[in-house]
Amino acid sequence: VMKKKIVTILSIAFFFTSCNSWFDVTSSDEIREEDHYSTEIGFQQSLIGCYIAMAEDDLYGKNLSWYGLERLGHQFYPQVYAGSDAIPLDLHKFAYNSVDLLPFIEGIWSKAYNVIANANEALKYIDEKQSIMDPINYHVIKGELLAIRAYMHFDLLRLYGYGNWEQRSSELNNKYTIPYALEISKEAPAQVTGNEAIRFILTDLTDAANLLREYDPVTQKHNFSEYANVNTDGFYNTRNLRLNYYAVKALESRVRLWEGSDSNKSKALDAAEEVIKAAENDINMTENNQNIYTLKFLTPETINSSTYNLTAEQLFGLSIQNLDTKIKNYIKPYYTDNDSEVMYIEPETANQVYENSTTDVRFTALLDQSLTSSSLGYVPLKVYQSSTINQYYKNKISMIRLPEVYYIAAECCATGTPANLEKAITYLNHVRQKRGLYEDLKNLDATQIINEIKKEYRKEFLSEGVMFYYYKRTGASEIPYRSEIMEDKQYVLPYPTYEIQSGRVQ
């Protein structure tokens, strides 16, 4: 049933923008919109359609997850590429003016604002249609739509805006950055300052959390049996694949840490610790053998070929259709010297990153060394679709995962005012224990803690598109596989040409 609804929304109700124009609403479109939103099903379809659009290759299906951002973050050895595909090498070289990279740069921008436009379309009608909606559907759908709008704007800000905000706040707070689209309009939304962008994002996330807190099944305010009337098509199953309440709080902590002021670090810690407190209960909600929601760590013993992508730890993830086809040229454990596009880590680098550990499952279980190539490289397995993968873990990619919340909490404790170094170490040790590192860190100062957090990020988030943002947020001047100093010209993706021509200033 749900698949039929998805086809309907994609073929009838979505009005995607072209690359050189914003959302254009005609009188016939308005009639069609109102008819589409005459029942709750229309809002459900629009919401699911947003997630489907987010899973496209231009966004998180490829470029903003396991592939494009991993190239920009220099996560893999920069081998010589064969054939006509110049994109991998151009990404590695940050050659943003390359003709080959224009579709990459413009595709992200265009598709991201398409998702935002579709969320705004549903938000335009949802309040006036509240009377026809079950209170659960109204609160959850509106909350998720607001969270999607915030998520997309934040990643646009992280990509096309400037980094190292904590050290550059006086400059970036007042510098114009991305447009923040709050409504459907024939007029392009205005650019906003950095301070305004952060405020809009946090307002959307606060409103989303307030809507979800009492109604989202994941908070367990109500017995799941109370959702029977609104879950007839499984709409409330697999909450890990939606922006649920705890995913919203985790995203809030990510946004606040990006801004980096003492006040936002304090609030980032509060948001992270709310998620951590919930995770301490090892939430595992099922109904009629269907997964509803999990919030827990896997143990070292349970990380294997059936659980490679760690879906059980995803606060928010996406379902990516035919992921095995997308990755086949890039994530190939038994690659040979003829496989020029494979993403691998050199043995020396892998041993250095994982500190020659024989117990860290991120090294022993989530990397596979190819003995069929002269490079003997280690291939990441997190998005690899093995023949033994559990169905629950198949075709899934992570958008935000539980370890990041612990790292955010640790960083806020180590660098906030006042600092709490012991608490920071406790949070780091908790993740390390779950990865098979049983010798706890002890007696570290703030600088040492931050260094351990950096090492943990690189160990933990291979194939998740996280490290480029980490380097950019912290203002790292050096990154792997690069001899030149990193500056804004490498960290900041240029606005699409048509945006500059229309008067945007970057």
Side-chain angles (χ1 to χ4, degrees), residues 252-400:
E252 178 192 340
S253 69
R254 183 189 272 181
V255 173
R256 291 189 184 280
L257 185 61
W258 181 269
E259 191 270 353
S261 64
D262 284 344
S263 61
N264 265 324
K265 278 186 182 178
S266 176
K267 292 174 181 177
L269 179 59
D270 289 342
E273 289 187 327
E274 184 174 353
V275 179
I276 290 170
K277 184 177 180 180
E280 290 173 351
N281 296 319
D282 277 358
I283 299 174
N284 187 23
M285 299 172 59
T286 59
E287 187 79 11
N288 298 323
N289 294 321
Q290 293 292 316
N291 175 272
I292 306 303
Y293 184 67
T294 59
L295 182 59
K296 63 178 182 178
F297 275 100
L298 292 171
T299 62
E301 297 75 24
T302 56
I303 296 175
N304 52 47
S305 61
S306 66
T307 61
Y308 277 150
N309 70 354
L310 312 178
T311 299
E313 297 181 359
Q314 290 173 6
L315 289 154
F316 170 41
L318 288 174
S319 179
I320 308 295
Q321 295 302 309
N322 302 316
L323 185 56
D324 55 345
T325 302
K326 296 178 189 294
I327 68 169
K328 66 178 182 179
N329 292 332
Y330 309 106
I331 309 296
K332 196 171 185 178
Y334 306 108
Y335 73 92
T336 68
D337 290 345
N338 293 325
D339 295 313
S340 61
E341 294 179 306
V342 171
M343 302 165 78
Y344 69 86
I345 304 172
E346 292 176 294
E348 182 180 352
T349 300
N351 281 290
Q352 179 185 8
V353 169
Y354 293 96
E355 303 178 287
N356 296 301
S357 174
T358 59
T359 61
D360 190 332
V361 291
R362 295 169 296 195
F363 188 29
T364 62
L366 294 178
L367 286 176
D368 193 17
Q369 187 173 23
S370 174
L371 302 180
T372 55
S373 70
S374 59
S375 58
L376 300 175
Y378 285 86
V379 176
L381 300 176
K382 201 172 289 169
V383 295
Y384 179 61
Q385 304 295 289
S386 74
S387 60
T388 57
I389 194 169
N390 183 292
Q391 191 64 31
Y392 174 63
Y393 292 78
K394 188 176 178 61
N395 289 325
K396 307 290 195 312
I397 59 105
S398 173
M399 299 286 275
I400 185 165

Side-chain angles (χ1 to χ4, degrees), residues 206-222:
T206 299
D207 291 345
N210 289 338
L211 286 158
L212 291 166
R213 186 177 289 109
E214 297 296 326
Y215 290 89
D216 193 334
V218 308
T219 63
Q220 299 181 301
K221 302 287 187 181
H222 309 280

Side-chain angles (χ1 to χ4, degrees), residues 33-66:
E33 286 172 9
E34 290 201 34
D35 180 64
H36 175 68
Y37 295 114
S38 62
T39 67
E40 290 181 311
I41 292 175
F43 290 100
Q44 291 177 332
Q45 291 173 339
S46 290
L47 176 63
I48 297 301
C50 286
Y51 290 121
I52 292 173
M54 291 171 73
E56 292 183 8
D57 284 0
D58 281 324
L59 296 176
Y60 304 98
K62 183 180 180 182
N63 286 343
L64 296 186
S65 56
W66 60 270

Side-chain angles (χ1 to χ4, degrees), residues 372-441:
T372 55
S373 70
S374 59
S375 58
L376 300 175
Y378 285 86
V379 176
L381 300 176
K382 201 172 289 169
V383 295
Y384 179 61
Q385 304 295 289
S386 74
S387 60
T388 57
I389 194 169
N390 183 292
Q391 191 64 31
Y392 174 63
Y393 292 78
K394 188 176 178 61
N395 289 325
K396 307 290 195 312
I397 59 105
S398 173
M399 299 286 275
I400 185 165
R401 200 158 48 78
L402 192 53
E404 183 178 351
V405 179
Y406 279 78
Y407 297 153
I408 290 172
E411 185 170 343
C412 291
C413 285
T415 62
T417 305
N420 189 333
L421 301 186
E422 286 304 312
K423 201 176 198 181
I425 294 171
T426 298
Y427 285 138
L428 276 181
N429 284 335
H430 186 84
V431 181
R432 287 166 55 86
Q433 287 276 341
K434 298 297 184 182
R435 297 298 176 251
L437 295 175
Y438 301 114
E439 184 177 346
D440 284 346
L441 303 170

